[in-house]
Amino acid sequence: MVSSVLCRCVASPPPDAAAAASSSASSPASVGDPCGGAICGDPDHRLRLWRLFQTLDVNRDGGLCVNDLAVGLRRLGLHRTEGELRKIVQAGDKDLDGQLDFEEFVHYLQDHEKKLRLVFKSLDKKNDGRIDAQEIMQSLRDLGVKISEQQAEKILKRIRTGHFWGPVTYMDKNGTMTIDWNEWRDYHLLHPVENIPEIILYWKHSTIFDVGENLTVPDEFTVEERQTGMWWRHLVAGGGAGAVSRTCTAPLDRLKVLMQVHASRSNNMGIIGGFTQMIREGGARSLWRGNGINVLKIAPESAIKFMAYEQIKRLVGSDQETLRIHERLVAGSLAGAIAQSSIYPMEVLKTRMALRKTGQYSGMLDCARRILAREGVAAFYKGYVPNMLGIIPYAGIDLAVYETLKNAWLQRYAVNSADPGVFVLLACGTMSSTCGQLASYPLALVRTRMQAQASIEGAPEVTMSSLFKQILRTEGAFGLYRGLAPNFMKVIPAVSISYVVYENLKITLGVQSR
């Protein structure tokens, strides 16, 4: 059995074992012990892993392919589907040759065991090294699923399947109605447990953070959240948080739009000068022009994006609860494009309302009616192309930076819990959103200028490419980043406000904070 190659230095890891073991993490002699998911000090452990590798390498070619794993694990009494085995190979195959060499196999086991330990520790509420029926009930209750003690005992016995770590058979080998670390680890070590609900729950990103540009890839929700309806409560809480956040930072957002459209070398509009100009022209209330429709578009955009994302996930063909990074990027970008296409006329209205002078329009409907009468339906889609092109760099870099920071934190600091804490979550979200905005900002500026064309007297009709050339010729590369200062100034308050409001709305809506 697989357990014969694994370290048995302790039956269940004490709370401080991981910290003690982490100091030896650089040792090349061994890999992946149960004591905290770090590096075991047993010098024979790597040899035992080599023997397991040879047992699984049925065709003796020095690599483990899907067929090798299927035959080898069957000989050890473990049965896995082809899809599960393919996930194992894909997770560990660093050189993309379709198989695992010994070093890739060792690294896969090491990384996978750390994930398993996070799940085990999240279930082990009593911190006694064992999972019992009460802890199963509490963990599922935290995920929004209520079960009886009898049902929890059935889960421990593995009589029924369908729970969140996947169907297994008789994990409780000794019949004690509890599962210790060794029983948990022995079964799952060569089972592709990629979807850890604790990590999904703790590391919400796009649902929580609203910096005014809703181009992020949607968050994943666990099966339990979708089945119990918790997902819509998260979305409502996120929408409410975004509304408050956007309202609080609206003056900076309007200043950004004014600088994007009107600032130039001859009109060097600064932050203080811009605020002074707005207040002098329309009073303090004018600082919030365009905010109403900016808030109104949150609900339809979020709903359309979420529904589109769920449908595209099915088209991608993944049978996992969560997608891999590149699949999330594709599905999220397509969902964002669909949502943006649906509500894009509201984006144009938001820009026109932000740029309007006192008395120019009586409201949003009057603005829409006048645009339609003077410029036709096409005016509501000006700047559409650069807006769509901006989705890919924004969503891609935001997702990549966030996942990189998240994985770096999990690998380095997640010993007993996947909970990063408020400060880490805010820091990762702020940095990733800032990087995404920085990458897509030139396209956002060109989009805003195209949306504002008719509001500027005597402005010629321009295309995206000609506008890029004109800005570079007259203002240089710096011209593509007009308004960047107020845009970045609003990121930290926007993220902080949206997080605080989100957490309070979750409590109001009955979503338990972890």
XYZ file of all heavy atoms in Angstrom, residues 249-326:
608
model
N -15.846 57.195 -3.440
C -14.668 57.597 -4.239
C -15.064 58.279 -5.547
O -14.218 58.498 -6.411
C -13.789 56.370 -4.553
O -14.566 55.401 -5.279
C -13.254 55.741 -3.282
N -16.355 58.622 -5.693
C -16.847 59.221 -6.940
C -16.129 60.513 -7.320
O -15.868 60.749 -8.504
C -18.359 59.449 -6.842
N -15.811 61.417 -6.366
C -15.095 62.642 -6.772
C -13.770 62.355 -7.470
O -13.425 63.016 -8.463
C -14.877 63.367 -5.431
C -16.017 62.920 -4.576
C -16.222 61.478 -4.948
N -13.019 61.355 -6.966
C -11.761 60.993 -7.617
C -12.009 60.378 -8.984
O -11.238 60.597 -9.931
C -10.976 60.027 -6.731
C -10.296 60.641 -5.500
C -9.808 59.548 -4.557
C -9.125 61.525 -5.923
N -13.093 59.608 -9.112
C -13.397 58.989 -10.395
C -13.784 60.045 -11.428
O -13.370 59.976 -12.592
C -14.539 57.984 -10.216
C -14.747 57.133 -11.455
O -13.847 56.336 -11.777
O -15.798 57.264 -12.112
N -14.570 61.051 -11.009
C -14.935 62.106 -11.960
C -13.718 62.931 -12.354
O -13.560 63.315 -13.531
C -16.002 63.028 -11.351
C -16.513 63.994 -12.414
C -17.514 64.991 -11.963
N -17.816 65.844 -13.114
C -18.034 67.141 -13.052
N -17.990 67.772 -11.885
N -18.291 67.834 -14.135
N -12.831 63.191 -11.388
C -11.603 63.922 -11.698
C -10.766 63.146 -12.715
O -10.192 63.729 -13.639
C -10.807 64.172 -10.429
C -9.454 64.868 -10.610
C -9.630 66.248 -11.226
C -8.719 64.962 -9.276
N -10.712 61.824 -12.564
C -9.966 61.000 -13.515
C -10.531 61.160 -14.930
O -9.773 61.330 -15.905
C -10.054 59.522 -13.092
C -9.370 58.568 -14.052
C -9.802 57.125 -13.813
C -11.204 56.883 -14.315
N -11.585 55.447 -14.230
N -11.859 61.111 -15.068
C -12.491 61.244 -16.384
C -12.178 62.613 -16.993
O -11.856 62.723 -18.187
C -14.019 61.023 -16.267
C -14.700 61.327 -17.600
C -14.316 59.596 -15.843
N -12.276 63.673 -16.190
C -11.978 65.016 -16.694
C -10.530 65.138 -17.163
O -10.248 65.732 -18.209
C -12.252 66.059 -15.607
C -13.728 66.327 -15.268
C -13.835 67.272 -14.083
C -14.448 66.919 -16.478
N -9.603 64.547 -16.412
C -8.188 64.618 -16.796
C -7.925 63.769 -18.037
O -7.106 64.132 -18.887
C -7.316 64.160 -15.618
C -7.346 65.118 -14.437
S -6.375 64.564 -13.010
C -4.705 64.793 -13.638
N -8.607 62.621 -18.164
C -8.438 61.789 -19.358
C -8.870 62.523 -20.619
O -8.250 62.395 -21.676
C -9.240 60.490 -19.208
C -8.633 59.475 -18.257
C -9.502 58.232 -18.131
O -10.720 58.288 -18.259
N -8.870 57.099 -17.874
N -9.937 63.304 -20.512
C -10.527 63.939 -21.695
C -9.935 65.322 -21.967
O -9.624 65.671 -23.113
C -12.062 64.039 -21.533
C -12.676 64.816 -22.706
C -12.667 62.644 -21.443
N -9.754 66.131 -20.918
C -9.398 67.540 -21.117
C -7.930 67.870 -20.864
O -7.442 68.884 -21.360
C -10.264 68.429 -20.220
C -11.723 68.382 -20.545
N -12.224 68.714 -21.789
C -12.804 68.019 -19.797
C -13.534 68.577 -21.803
N -13.914 68.151 -20.596
N -7.232 67.069 -20.070
C -5.842 67.396 -19.732
C -4.940 67.213 -20.955
O -5.118 66.290 -21.749
C -5.350 66.527 -18.581
N -3.973 68.097 -21.095
C -3.011 68.014 -22.196
C -1.782 68.831 -21.794
O -1.709 69.369 -20.692
C -3.617 68.560 -23.489
O -3.925 69.935 -23.339
N -0.840 68.952 -22.701
C 0.345 69.750 -22.391
C -0.013 71.227 -22.202
O 0.556 71.924 -21.370
C 1.376 69.602 -23.518
C 2.148 68.291 -23.441
C 3.144 68.177 -24.567
N 3.959 66.975 -24.433
C 4.809 66.545 -25.357
N 4.960 67.231 -26.485
N 5.515 65.445 -25.165
N -0.969 71.674 -22.989
C -1.384 73.080 -22.882
C -2.351 73.305 -21.725
O -2.496 74.420 -21.240
C -2.038 73.540 -24.190
O -3.156 72.718 -24.484
N -3.035 72.246 -21.302
C -3.988 72.339 -20.184
C -3.564 71.334 -19.117
O -4.136 70.257 -19.002
C -5.412 72.064 -20.664
C -6.419 72.158 -19.521
O -6.177 72.823 -18.512
N -7.547 71.474 -19.680
N -2.552 71.682 -18.381
C -1.975 70.756 -17.398
C -2.818 70.749 -16.124
O -2.515 71.417 -15.138
C -0.534 71.166 -17.081
C 0.196 70.083 -16.313
O -0.269 68.942 -16.246
N 1.342 70.425 -15.742
N -3.901 69.983 -16.145
C -4.837 69.924 -15.027
C -4.275 69.053 -13.904
O -3.947 67.885 -14.118
C -6.179 69.348 -15.507
C -7.266 69.311 -14.418
S -8.750 68.469 -15.019
C -9.261 69.569 -16.341
N -4.147 69.608 -12.720
C -3.683 68.856 -11.574
C -4.838 68.432 -10.691
O -6.001 68.750 -10.959
N -4.521 67.739 -9.615
C -5.570 67.220 -8.730
C -6.285 68.358 -8.014
O -7.525 68.457 -8.051
C -4.967 66.230 -7.720
C -4.472 64.984 -8.469
C -5.993 65.841 -6.659
C -3.721 64.001 -7.605
N -5.528 69.260 -7.390
C -6.146 70.372 -6.660
C -6.870 71.305 -7.635
O -8.007 71.727 -7.392
C -5.084 71.145 -5.859
C -4.477 70.230 -4.776
C -5.693 72.395 -5.226
C -3.355 70.870 -3.984
N -6.218 71.590 -8.772
C -6.843 72.454 -9.772
C -8.108 71.847 -10.336
O -9.096 72.548 -10.599
N -8.097 70.535 -10.526
C -9.277 69.851 -11.050
C -10.451 69.917 -10.088
O -11.594 70.217 -10.500
N -10.204 69.662 -8.821
C -11.269 69.754 -7.819
C -11.797 71.189 -7.718
O -13.009 71.412 -7.618
C -10.766 69.284 -6.455
C -10.802 67.796 -6.277
C -9.664 67.095 -5.899
C -11.975 67.090 -6.481
C -9.687 65.726 -5.738
C -12.018 65.702 -6.313
C -10.862 65.014 -5.945
N -10.887 72.158 -7.739
C -11.296 73.561 -7.655
C -12.182 73.935 -8.835
O -13.219 74.609 -8.680
C -10.051 74.475 -7.634
O -9.221 74.113 -6.524
C -10.455 75.940 -7.521
N -11.799 73.483 -10.018
C -12.574 73.769 -11.228
C -13.967 73.149 -11.152
O -14.963 73.793 -11.511
C -11.821 73.223 -12.440
C -12.522 73.449 -13.770
C -11.706 72.874 -14.925
O -10.482 72.905 -14.915
N -12.394 72.337 -15.925
N -14.074 71.913 -10.671
C -15.371 71.250 -10.574
C -16.286 71.970 -9.590
O -17.471 72.198 -9.863
C -15.192 69.788 -10.159
C -14.681 68.873 -11.257
S -14.761 67.125 -10.800
C -13.432 67.022 -9.580
N -15.747 72.332 -8.419
C -16.561 72.986 -7.395
C -16.980 74.383 -7.846
O -18.124 74.809 -7.630
C -15.784 73.050 -6.060
C -15.573 71.621 -5.516
C -16.532 73.901 -5.033
C -14.667 71.552 -4.298
N -16.068 75.104 -8.519
C -16.388 76.444 -8.997
C -17.496 76.391 -10.059
O -18.367 77.262 -10.114
C -15.137 77.095 -9.580
C -15.365 78.568 -9.969
C -14.142 79.176 -10.653
N -12.981 79.152 -9.772
C -11.829 78.561 -10.067
N -11.699 77.923 -11.232
N -10.818 78.602 -9.221
N -17.485 75.348 -10.888
C -18.458 75.252 -11.980
C -19.831 74.778 -11.505
O -20.862 75.263 -11.982
C -17.929 74.293 -13.057
C -18.706 74.297 -14.376
C -19.935 73.388 -14.358
O -19.897 72.364 -13.630
O -20.914 73.697 -15.037
N -19.873 73.846 -10.565
C -21.168 73.269 -10.194
C -21.395 73.050 -8.720
O -22.375 72.389 -8.351
N -20.509 73.536 -7.875
C -20.682 73.326 -6.442
C -20.204 71.947 -6.010
O -19.777 71.121 -6.831
N -20.315 71.677 -4.719
C -19.818 70.407 -4.171
C -20.563 69.216 -4.739
O -19.994 68.120 -4.916
C -19.923 70.439 -2.643
N -21.861 69.380 -5.040
C -22.645 68.248 -5.575
C -22.126 67.775 -6.926
O -22.313 66.619 -7.299
C -24.116 68.655 -5.702
C -24.852 68.762 -4.366
C -26.327 69.004 -4.587
N -26.952 67.917 -5.339
C -28.219 67.945 -5.777
N -28.968 69.017 -5.551
N -28.713 66.922 -6.446
N -21.485 68.679 -7.658
C -20.994 68.298 -8.985
C -19.882 67.250 -8.918
O -19.570 66.604 -9.923
C -20.482 69.535 -9.726
O -19.301 70.046 -9.120
N -19.293 67.075 -7.733
C -18.235 66.059 -7.589
C -18.784 64.651 -7.798
O -18.016 63.721 -8.065
C -17.591 66.160 -6.200
C -16.877 67.484 -5.865
C -16.375 67.455 -4.430
C -15.707 67.713 -6.821
N -20.087 64.479 -7.666
C -20.698 63.145 -7.786
C -21.428 62.962 -9.121
O -22.195 62.016 -9.269
C -21.652 62.907 -6.617
C -20.932 62.429 -5.386
C -20.744 61.124 -5.013
C -20.287 63.210 -4.391
N -20.021 61.054 -3.849
C -19.721 62.331 -3.429
C -20.105 64.581 -4.209
C -19.015 62.763 -2.328
C -19.416 65.026 -3.102
C -18.867 64.123 -2.171
N -21.172 63.819 -10.088
C -21.829 63.647 -11.388
C -21.387 62.335 -12.041
O -20.198 62.039 -12.103
C -21.496 64.826 -12.309
C -22.288 66.072 -11.973
C -21.940 67.231 -12.871
N -22.639 68.452 -12.448
C -22.356 69.673 -12.887
N -21.385 69.841 -13.771
N -23.036 70.713 -12.448
N -22.356 61.589 -12.542
C -22.067 60.300 -13.175
C -22.058 59.133 -12.209
O -21.991 57.979 -12.638
N -22.142 59.419 -10.907
C -22.075 58.322 -9.936
C -23.347 57.481 -9.926
O -23.296 56.274 -9.707
C -21.812 58.868 -8.531
C -21.721 57.767 -7.496
O -20.846 56.900 -7.571
N -22.637 57.753 -6.532
N -24.499 58.132 -10.163
C -25.761 57.392 -10.114
C -25.781 56.214 -11.071
O -26.077 55.075 -10.682
N -25.456 56.460 -12.327
C -25.485 55.374 -13.311
C -24.309 54.417 -13.104
O -24.389 53.232 -13.418
C -25.497 55.939 -14.749
C -25.910 54.844 -15.728
C -24.142 56.549 -15.124
C -26.364 55.364 -17.055
N -23.205 54.912 -12.546
C -22.071 54.039 -12.234
C -22.458 53.001 -11.186
O -21.992 51.864 -11.221
C -20.890 54.884 -11.733
C -19.589 54.120 -11.742
O -19.344 53.284 -12.612
N -18.725 54.403 -10.777
N -23.329 53.393 -10.252
C -23.818 52.458 -9.236
C -24.899 51.552 -9.817
O -24.931 50.343 -9.548
C -24.360 53.237 -8.013
C -25.108 52.305 -7.066
C -23.213 53.928 -7.281
N -25.776 52.115 -10.634
C -26.881 51.334 -11.192
C -26.406 50.172 -12.062
O -27.048 49.121 -12.108
C -27.797 52.232 -12.030
C -28.793 53.112 -11.261
C -29.575 53.981 -12.224
C -29.754 52.244 -10.448
N -25.274 50.351 -12.735
C -24.827 49.293 -13.646
C -24.160 48.121 -12.945
O -23.871 47.095 -13.574
C -23.904 49.859 -14.720
C -22.546 50.339 -14.261
C -21.804 51.013 -15.403
C -20.425 51.512 -14.988
N -19.458 50.433 -14.797
N -23.940 48.223 -11.636
C -23.295 47.127 -10.911
C -24.138 45.852 -10.967
O -23.642 44.767 -11.279
C -23.044 47.513 -9.435
C -21.992 48.606 -9.337
C -22.582 46.283 -8.631
C -21.782 49.122 -7.917
N -25.443 45.995 -10.660
C -26.305 44.815 -10.564
C -26.427 44.054 -11.882
O -26.161 42.844 -11.924
C -27.686 45.228 -10.045
N -26.821 44.709 -12.996
C -26.926 43.935 -14.243
C -25.593 43.382 -14.713
O -25.537 42.252 -15.217
C -27.497 44.942 -15.245
C -27.196 46.291 -14.678
C -27.252 46.116 -13.195
N -24.526 44.156 -14.547
C -23.224 43.675 -15.012
C -22.774 42.453 -14.222
O -22.314 41.459 -14.794
C -22.180 44.784 -14.907
C -20.818 44.386 -15.463
C -19.843 45.534 -15.497
O -20.120 46.590 -14.908
O -18.783 45.369 -16.132
N -22.907 42.488 -12.898
C -22.483 41.359 -12.056
C -23.316 40.122 -12.338
O -22.793 39.012 -12.429
C -22.593 41.732 -10.569
O -21.739 42.815 -10.255
N -24.637 40.310 -12.483
C -25.523 39.171 -12.726
C -25.232 38.521 -14.074
O -25.132 37.290 -14.182
C -26.974 39.627 -12.658
N -25.088 39.357 -15.116
C -24.821 38.813 -16.457
C -23.464 38.121 -16.484
O -23.318 37.031 -17.060
C -24.877 39.944 -17.513
C -26.297 40.482 -17.630
C -24.390 39.442 -18.869
C -26.412 41.758 -18.452
N -22.465 38.728 -15.854
C -21.133 38.126 -15.853
C -21.138 36.782 -15.143
O -20.558 35.802 -15.625
C -20.133 39.058 -15.179
C -18.706 38.490 -15.193
C -17.759 39.263 -14.311
C -17.346 40.553 -14.917
N -16.262 41.213 -14.150
N -21.817 36.697 -13.982
C -21.852 35.444 -13.239
C -22.548 34.348 -14.051
O -22.045 33.222 -14.150
C -22.573 35.639 -11.903
C -22.740 34.365 -11.119
C -21.668 33.779 -10.476
C -23.978 33.744 -11.052
C -21.814 32.593 -9.769
C -24.140 32.561 -10.347
C -23.059 31.985 -9.703
N -23.702 34.661 -14.635
C -24.431 33.657 -15.419
C -23.625 33.218 -16.640
O -23.564 32.029 -16.965
C -25.799 34.201 -15.825
C -26.767 34.356 -14.661
S -28.435 34.831 -15.164
C -28.162 36.513 -15.731
N -23.012 34.190 -17.312
C -22.197 33.850 -18.492
C -21.003 32.996 -18.098
O -20.651 32.035 -18.788
C -21.735 35.131 -19.192
N -20.371 33.330 -16.976
C -19.200 32.584 -16.503
C -19.560 31.132 -16.215
O -18.826 30.207 -16.590
C -18.656 33.254 -15.247
C -17.380 32.653 -14.700
C -16.200 32.710 -15.422
C -17.354 32.037 -13.451
C -15.025 32.176 -14.918
C -16.190 31.489 -12.941
C -15.027 31.567 -13.677
O -13.859 31.037 -13.178
N -20.698 30.902 -15.562
C -21.119 29.539 -15.246
C -21.399 28.739 -16.525
O -21.067 27.555 -16.608
C -22.360 29.567 -14.347
C -22.106 30.079 -12.944
C -21.109 29.213 -12.189
O -21.280 27.990 -12.179
O -20.140 29.761 -11.636
N -22.009 29.379 -17.521
C -22.296 28.676 -18.776
C -21.008 28.389 -19.549
O -20.841 27.299 -20.104
C -23.254 29.524 -19.633
C -24.637 29.675 -19.047
C -25.343 28.346 -18.842
O -25.290 27.470 -19.705
N -25.993 28.189 -17.703
N -20.091 29.360 -19.588
C -18.841 29.165 -20.329
C -17.991 28.094 -19.666
O -17.294 27.338 -20.349
C -18.078 30.503 -20.438
C -18.877 31.485 -21.300
C -16.693 30.298 -21.047
C -18.363 32.903 -21.257
N -18.044 27.996 -18.331
C -17.315 26.935 -17.631
C -17.748 25.562 -18.138
O -16.926 24.667 -18.332
C -17.568 27.023 -16.124
C -16.696 28.017 -15.398
C -17.130 28.215 -13.970
C -17.021 26.945 -13.162
N -17.347 27.171 -11.730
N -19.042 25.406 -18.378
C -19.527 24.118 -18.891
C -19.044 23.884 -20.320
O -18.720 22.751 -20.702
C -21.057 24.084 -18.842
C -21.622 24.136 -17.419
C -23.135 23.919 -17.426
N -23.666 23.973 -16.073
C -24.169 25.058 -15.505
N -24.214 26.195 -16.190
N -24.639 25.033 -14.275
N -18.992 24.946 -21.116
C -18.523 24.808 -22.493
C -17.035 24.479 -22.546
O -16.582 23.770 -23.445
C -18.791 26.094 -23.272
C -20.260 26.452 -23.515
C -20.366 27.803 -24.216
C -20.946 25.369 -24.342
N -16.276 25.015 -21.567
C -14.847 24.707 -21.501
C -14.648 23.215 -21.313
O -13.625 22.646 -21.736
C -14.178 25.521 -20.368
C -12.766 25.033 -20.092
C -14.150 27.000 -20.746
N -15.623 22.570 -20.678
C -15.563 21.120 -20.554
C -14.898 20.618 -19.310
O -14.614 19.431 -19.177
N -14.639 21.502 -18.353
C -13.978 21.067 -17.123
C -14.989 20.415 -16.203
O -16.100 20.894 -16.034
C -13.318 22.251 -16.416
O -12.761 21.844 -15.200
N -14.613 19.284 -15.597
C -15.486 18.616 -14.638
C -15.053 18.900 -13.212
O -15.440 18.222 -12.279
C -15.485 17.097 -14.884
C -14.088 16.495 -14.756
O -13.121 17.271 -14.642
O -13.983 15.250 -14.764
N -14.212 19.919 -13.043
C -13.734 20.265 -11.715
C -14.643 21.325 -11.105
O -15.346 22.038 -11.796
C -12.316 20.835 -11.774
C -11.337 19.913 -12.472
C -10.003 20.612 -12.624
O -9.437 21.087 -11.660
N -9.500 20.656 -13.838
N -14.589 21.395 -9.784
C -15.346 22.429 -9.093
C -14.749 23.796 -9.392
O -15.454 24.783 -9.514
C -15.333 22.154 -7.592
C -16.141 23.145 -6.772
C -16.131 22.802 -5.308
O -16.069 21.614 -4.972
O -16.169 23.741 -4.495
N -13.444 23.855 -9.517
C -12.789 25.103 -9.901
C -11.927 24.848 -11.132
O -11.423 23.748 -11.333
C -11.892 25.637 -8.768
O -10.952 24.633 -8.383
C -12.731 26.023 -7.561
N -11.766 25.880 -11.946
C -10.992 25.751 -13.168
C -9.523 26.030 -12.910
O -9.154 26.675 -11.936
C -11.516 26.744 -14.204
C -12.998 26.676 -14.560
C -13.315 27.728 -15.609
C -13.402 25.305 -15.055
N -8.688 25.545 -13.839
C -7.279 25.929 -13.792
C -7.158 27.386 -14.233
O -8.087 27.958 -14.783
C -6.469 25.001 -14.700
C -6.371 23.571 -14.161
C -5.401 22.745 -15.000
N -5.893 22.528 -16.355
C -6.677 21.519 -16.698
N -7.076 20.644 -15.793
N -7.068 21.373 -17.954
N -5.979 27.959 -13.991
C -5.803 29.397 -14.188
C -6.120 29.823 -15.619
O -6.864 30.786 -15.844
C -4.367 29.821 -13.815
C -4.116 29.595 -12.326
C -4.141 31.293 -14.162
C -5.007 30.410 -11.430
N -5.566 29.113 -16.607
C -5.800 29.546 -17.985
C -7.266 29.371 -18.382
O -7.811 30.142 -19.171
C -4.880 28.777 -18.944
C -5.191 27.320 -19.081
N -4.746 26.382 -18.180
C -5.919 26.643 -20.005
C -5.170 25.185 -18.554
N -5.884 25.313 -19.647
